[in-house]
């Protein structure tokens, strides 16, 4: 069983930055693609970014391109989401998810079911 824990959320002013972390425990996740998702109040959950198991391939939703960067540190069993130039539209609960069989090929593949999910971390961006 893979256990995921997100951290790094909080309150930040518009234009600021946060770095989210997704730490894994339980089993090795070197073969798993990782996705970051977010859900804003009253909105559906959306895929924000994903990284392949090797770390060589990343994808981003258009609204965060050039602002967010996903990366993974296999030695630390952690995936990061560096978020810069935050705006109130980025306010949401952010979740990381992992799956061994969902590839990070296109953003559309993020609609496939991920097996393991974290509990989420709240990002609140004020004006």
């Amino acid at each position: 069983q893979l256990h995921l824990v997100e951290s790094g959320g909080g309150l930040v002013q518009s234009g600021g930055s946060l770095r989210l972390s997704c730490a894994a425990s339980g089993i090795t996740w070197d073969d798993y693609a990782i996705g970051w998702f977010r859900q804003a109040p009253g909105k559906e959950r959306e895929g924000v970014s994903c990284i392949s198991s090797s770390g060589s391939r990343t994808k981003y939703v258009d609204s965060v391109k050039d602002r967010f960067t996903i990366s993974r540190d296999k030695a630390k069993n952690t995936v990061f989401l560096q978020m810069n130039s935050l705006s109130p539209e980025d306010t949401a609960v952010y979740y990381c998810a992992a799956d061994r069989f969902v590839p990070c090929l296109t953003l559309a593949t993020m609609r496939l079911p991920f097996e393991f999910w974290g509990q989420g971390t709240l990002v609140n961006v004020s004006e």
Side-chain angles (χ1 to χ4, degrees):
Q1 185 78 5
L2 187 62
H3 184 57
L4 305 178
V5 178
E6 302 96 335
S7 62
L11 177 63
V12 64
Q13 286 188 329
S14 182
S17 298
L18 285 173
R19 188 174 80 156
L20 304 184
S21 299
C22 174
S25 63
I27 57 176
T28 182
W29 69 348
D30 288 356
D31 296 333
Y32 287 70
I34 309 301
W36 280 100
F37 298 79
R38 66 185 180 185
Q39 187 165 21
K43 294 187 178 180
E44 292 187 356
R45 187 177 64 200
E46 69 167 341
V48 174
S49 179
C50 65
I51 187 166
S52 62
S53 57
S54 67
S56 62
R57 190 168 56 245
T58 60
K59 298 294 178 185
Y60 300 91
V61 67
D62 285 347
S63 60
V64 307
K65 277 182 182 177
D66 300 323
R67 298 190 300 123
F68 290 12
T69 303
I70 191 171
S71 61
R72 67 190 302 165
D73 185 332
K74 291 194 174 182
K76 295 182 179 179
N77 244 18
T78 303
V79 169
F80 302 99
L81 186 67
Q82 177 66 43
M83 307 187 298
N84 300 326
S85 302
L86 286 163
S87 72
E89 288 70 33
D90 297 313
T91 294
V93 177
Y94 284 71
Y95 302 89
C96 66
D99 196 279
R100 190 173 181 183
F101 301 106
V102 173
C104 179
L105 291 175
T106 66
L107 282 178
T109 59
M110 295 193 70
R111 299 193 195 102
L112 296 172
F114 279 68
E115 183 175 5
F116 299 104
W117 290 82
Q119 83 290 345
T121 185
L122 176 63
V123 172
N124 193 349
V125 185
S126 64
E127 293 281 359

